[in-house]
Amino acid sequence: RGIVSGIGILAMESVGRELGNKLPGAASLVEHLNRLILVCLRDGRSIRGWLRSFDQFANLVLENAVERVIVETTFGDVPLGIFIVRGENVMLVGQIDESREHLINGHLQQVSVEEIKRARSAQRADKDAINRRERLEWPILDDIL
């Protein structure tokens, strides 16, 4: 397996040289292999982890993955372990500059997993309450008109 995937990577790198180091589509992920990346998903989640593998559909395998949950001025990293992301859910992939990671502490406060889960639940409950009020107000406006 390792030899076959290694040959595939070498082939993609040679194609990249022919195209001026610009690989098309999912093949451009080869430069992020074995690096810490951030993946933004269609449902709004942000997953950080070490990119270990990918395919032509941008399906990703992340090792030591965590979901970075941000609520107002706090954040928490919920551990996920080895995480497989289906390519159709990927909106954005970017490499994380670990040397600048400490700068986040000036803007956000890190809290425990339990605290960030409680904060996220409270935030969702607030949004649900707002949505329920909006649904109740619309029929009243329709009756008046």
Side-chain angles (χ1 to χ4, degrees), residues 63-104:
E63 185 179 36
N64 297 328
V66 295
E67 178 184 358
R68 168 78 39 107
V69 179
I70 300 173
V71 178
E72 294 180 9
T73 59
T74 60
F75 78 95
D77 291 335
V78 179
L80 303 171
I82 293 180
F83 196 73
I84 298 173
V85 180
R86 189 176 169 119
E88 68 182 25
N89 294 316
V90 175
M91 278 190 354
L92 177 78
V93 175
Q95 187 175 335
I96 296 174
D97 184 356
E98 293 178 80
S99 67
R100 299 177 54 101
E101 182 69 14
H102 67 281
L103 297 176
I104 195 169

Side-chain angles (χ1 to χ4, degrees), residues 108-123:
L108 298 174
Q109 176 187 2
Q110 186 169 8
V111 296
S112 69
V113 172
E114 293 79 22
E115 288 180 67
I116 201 66
K117 284 183 176 180
R118 276 195 302 271
R120 182 172 49 183
S121 294
Q123 186 181 46

